Amino acid sequence: MAFPPIPVSAAALLLAAASPLLAQSSIPKALEETMVDDPSSFFAPVAKHLRVGGHSYSFQDVDGVVEGWLGFFETIARSPAMADDPEMAMIADLDLRSAFDELGLLDVKAIGQSGSRVGSGTETRSFYYVPEGRKGLLSMAGGAAQPTWALSVAPAGADLVLEQEVHLSKLPGVVDSLLKVAGREDEREMLKSMLDQPMQPLSMTIGQFVKQADTRMLVVVETDKSRRISMPDSPELPGFKILLGLADTEFLFKDMGELLTQQGFVVAANTPEYARIVAPGPMGGPGAPLGENDIIGFHFDKQTGHTYVATDVDYLDQCLAGANPLTADPAFEELAAGLPLEGNGFHFISSEVREIIESAIEQMIEQNPAEAAEARMGMEVVMKFLPFPMKGAALGTVVNHPDGMLVISRRPGHESMAGIPMGGGVTTVAIMASLAVPVFSKIQEKANQTKGISNARQVVLACKIYADDFDGKYPANLQQLVQEEVIPAESSDLLSWEGAPWLLFKGLSDSTDGSHVLIAAPSADATGHRIVGFNDGSVRSMPEAEYQRILQRNKQTEP
């Protein structure tokens, strides 16, 4: 079943932290007594959100914050590991400082952090001060704080619970900002056109979808030790029970229901309160992600407008019943004591799932010994920006304020985490960027494809003109088009694409059947498509598999 993808990076979600309002009314007295004569004007509004008297307290004005964030994204985007990633290549070519400015990230003027003991654990608070209000990427992180949805759904025993508010209605503006920085005015117009296109297979345009898609995303994962997942070239993992949720998506109920039933799913219930659609039978097996008896279930809550999908209907029922909630889990209770749980996002990670993640990473590194050193270096960079250590359980919340963002993270034990934290803010930005970057890249790819088709069409036309002068015969090579002045010398760059000459197929003439391939791009692009010019004068971009089928059908061989 092919649903329109909402590109959300799994790695970004695993880094997410979210939080409630825990503001003090003024600067702590102990700090007020030690203030310097000329303090930063940003200190007071940051300090009121923090705790004094713990094991750490720090404040940093704008310059270091900006350099830290720029350094992080430049390190990732320009690392050797990302060299072959077309999306990262496009980002790496940007003036990142200008991009940060357009995306509202330079509006973060200061960051403060405090660390203190809370019961048997440690609490870290971070406040990201944005006096002019959140814009750009940060505006996508939602509005005012709301009760945490996960606490009414996630059951005790859940090992990973993530919740994040996302305002997709802000996405076109963010992508337009990236295109503006890149100087791509044509692509900005293309973005406007794209929003008017149908969003298959939904009965709405892309723009209509985006305007309504301000939502909260929920992920609940519980390990199933009775099963093991074993996939080729992947680390072995325990089985999982998974629930996904999207809030305020009633506008999708009708289309999704029709799509599911067309795919063979069965309507199990349809009441005034909810609709339930399930798979016709188990869809898993030994070693597979789904268990042998797991039946996928979709649940549409007509009262709240929320959509749920679970790997098994029994787990779906367990979560929605709320009889044994996460708040009753001892591991959760220990971390959450006294912590207000309202905000724009939330994470809870058990110590067990942390160990699974760490083990999986080590297995992947061991499977690629040649890249082990680079992989470990990359992990060290990422861990510097995590809002929590990689060992033990963790609980976090974040809340948007009119003048910034407050992040709170708790973990067991009294280990100090001194210094300015980058994690909470950077990971929220990473989630929003993981939505914007693929759209930005898609626009760039579409523009590049359009240019390639235009160039190919000119080359095909030039071949036709050449044939008119040479008894219907095509040139032996494309350089003859320049030699015979069919293509001006100053336009000779038309003869190549992406740094290599167009493929010119031999043995054809102007009278050959029009379905034969005359020219083709030297290789498929990053999306797996190849630009192809046909003997009837038409030019198309098509999947590589379709191109190969046409060659086989026409008994043509690439030159």
Side-chain angles (χ1 to χ4, degrees):
M1 179 174 55
F3 280 95
I6 299 178
V8 179
S9 164
L13 283 175
L14 286 173
L15 298 177
S19 109
L21 173 58
L22 291 172
Q24 300 175 30
S25 60
S26 59
I27 301 175
K29 190 173 188 300
L31 286 179
E32 189 174 354
E33 293 172 352
T34 60
M35 292 279 283
V36 296
D37 292 335
D38 186 23
S40 166
S41 60
F42 303 143
F43 183 78
V46 172
K48 70 179 183 180
H49 296 284
L50 308 177
R51 290 185 185 272
V52 67
H55 55 65
S56 66
Y57 194 102
S58 52
F59 169 85
Q60 189 163 325
D61 218 319
V62 61
D63 291 340
V65 174
V66 171
E67 294 305 323
W69 283 19
L70 280 171
F72 172 71
F73 284 103
E74 286 178 343
T75 298
I76 297 299
R78 294 169 182 169
S79 67
M82 296 296 180
D84 296 328
D85 187 320
E87 290 182 0
M88 281 299 172
M90 291 175 184
I91 295 300
D93 290 339
L94 287 176
D95 177 348
L96 289 185
R97 184 173 291 276
S98 296
F100 269 43
D101 189 17
E102 284 293 330
L103 297 176
L105 300 182
L106 297 192
D107 292 333
V108 178
K109 299 302 183 183
I111 294 180
Q113 179 264 340
S114 66
S116 56
R117 296 183 179 185
V118 177
S120 60
T122 299
E123 177 184 278
T124 302
R125 296 189 182 195
S126 312
F127 188 72
Y128 298 78
Y129 183 50
V130 192
E132 297 179 3
R134 294 173 296 105
K135 294 179 289 187
L137 280 179
L138 294 180
S139 71
M140 290 178 61
Q146 299 290 333
T148 301
W149 178 23
L151 300 184
S152 63
V153 177
D159 292 293
L160 177 66
V161 182
L162 304 172
E163 179 180 333
Q164 179 63 53
E165 184 174 5
V166 179
H167 281 190
L168 286 179
S169 60
K170 306 290 186 181
L171 182 59
V174 170
V175 175
D176 184 67
S177 296
L178 286 172
L179 294 171
K180 178 180 178 182
V181 170
R184 303 293 186 118
E185 294 302 319
D186 290 344
E187 284 90 328
R188 294 179 74 185
E189 291 301 317
M190 190 178 295
L191 173 62
K192 296 176 183 177
S193 175
M194 180 183 290
L195 294 174
D196 293 329
Q197 295 176 6
M199 187 172 186
Q200 300 294 344
L202 303 179
S203 58
M204 63 187 72
T205 65
I206 294 174
Q208 289 169 336
F209 171 83
V210 169
K211 284 181 181 179
Q212 300 177 79
D214 289 350
T215 184
R216 281 188 177 232
M217 299 181 294
L218 174 65
V219 180
V220 180
V221 180
E222 185 174 334
T223 56
D224 181 358
K225 298 178 182 177
S226 66
R227 297 193 299 108
R228 304 296 296 178
I229 299 174
S230 181
M231 307 288 285
D233 301 321
S234 299
E236 187 177 80
L237 300 170
F240 291 98
K241 303 173 183 177
I242 302 175
L243 173 89
L244 305 177
L246 285 174
D248 304 320
T249 49
E250 62 272 18
F251 69 98
L252 294 176
F253 284 2
K254 182 177 182 293
D255 284 345
M256 290 181 67
E258 291 177 354
L259 285 170
L260 288 168
T261 53
Q262 289 170 9
Q263 295 292 326
F265 281 66
V266 179
V267 178
N270 190 5
T271 73
E273 291 77 29
Y274 70 92
R276 174 76 62 89
I277 300 178
V278 301
M283 303 180 72
L290 295 179
E292 294 182 60
N293 300 312
D294 289 352
I295 297 177
I296 296 175
F298 287 78
H299 185 97
F300 307 101
D301 190 323
K302 299 177 183 179
Q303 295 178 314
T304 63
H306 300 343
T307 300
Y308 301 90
V309 56
T311 54
D312 184 59
V313 290
D314 290 339
Y315 192 61
L316 178 61
D317 288 334
Q318 179 187 346
C319 292
L320 297 183
N324 186 25
L326 180 65
T327 50
D329 188 312
F332 177 86
E333 285 185 302
E334 181 181 1
L335 288 173
L339 180 67
L341 296 173
E342 290 189 346
N344 302 86
F346 171 86
H347 76 250
F348 171 71
I349 304 176
S350 72
S351 57
E352 183 173 355
V353 83
R354 289 293 194 85
E355 293 169 3
I356 292 170
I357 293 172
E358 189 173 13
S359 173
I361 291 171
E362 287 298 322
Q363 289 183 58
M364 287 189 289
I365 291 175
E366 290 172 3
Q367 289 172 1
N368 297 280
E371 301 175 5
E374 184 178 315
R376 293 185 190 280
M377 186 182 301
M379 281 303 301
E380 289 177 5
V381 171
V382 171
M383 288 176 67
K384 287 173 61 178
F385 294 89
L386 288 173
F388 39 72
M390 272 300 291
K391 297 185 182 295
L395 172 67
T397 58
V398 68
V399 67
N400 296 326
H401 286 251
D403 63 349
M405 180 187 300
L406 176 66
V407 179
I408 303 173
S409 183
R410 285 187 176 180
R411 62 193 183 281
H414 292 152
E415 178 187 0
S416 172
M417 288 182 67
I420 290 291
M422 299 299 294
V426 167
T427 52
T428 300
V429 170
I431 292 173
M432 303 310 145
S434 72
L435 298 170
V437 168
V439 179
F440 169 74
S441 300
K442 188 71 174 177
I443 294 288
Q444 297 266 48
E445 289 167 2
K446 183 67 175 177
N448 196 47
Q449 188 181 88
T450 301
K451 180 181 178 182
I453 290 174
S454 174
N455 287 3
R457 188 170 286 120
Q458 294 181 66
V459 173
V460 169
L461 178 60
C463 287
K464 294 289 184 181
I465 294 173
Y466 179 98
D468 284 343
D469 294 335
F470 289 88
D471 299 324
K473 297 178 181 179
Y474 291 127
N477 59 72
L478 294 180
Q479 287 297 331
Q480 289 184 355
L481 297 175
V482 176
Q483 294 168 8
E484 296 296 333
E485 299 182 350
V486 180
I487 289 180
E490 59 269 22
S491 300
S492 61
D493 58 336
L494 290 173
L495 303 182
S496 62
W497 181 243
E498 300 289 352
W502 291 97
L503 301 178
L504 176 64
F505 284 77
K506 308 296 184 181
L508 303 182
S509 69
D510 193 38
S511 60
T512 304
D513 184 81
S515 67
H516 282 65
V517 176
L518 177 57
I519 69 167
S523 61
D525 61 21
T527 68
H529 286 64
R530 191 188 291 246
I531 298 172
V532 180
F534 292 91
N535 203 40
D536 63 1
S538 65
V539 176
R540 287 194 292 141
S541 174
M542 62 181 61
E544 179 69 10
E546 182 181 352
Y547 164 69
Q548 296 295 340
R549 284 195 299 270
I550 291 173
L551 293 185
Q552 186 176 17
R553 184 180 67 231
N554 292 332
K555 298 180 180 180
Q556 291 183 273
T557 303
E558 280 191 356

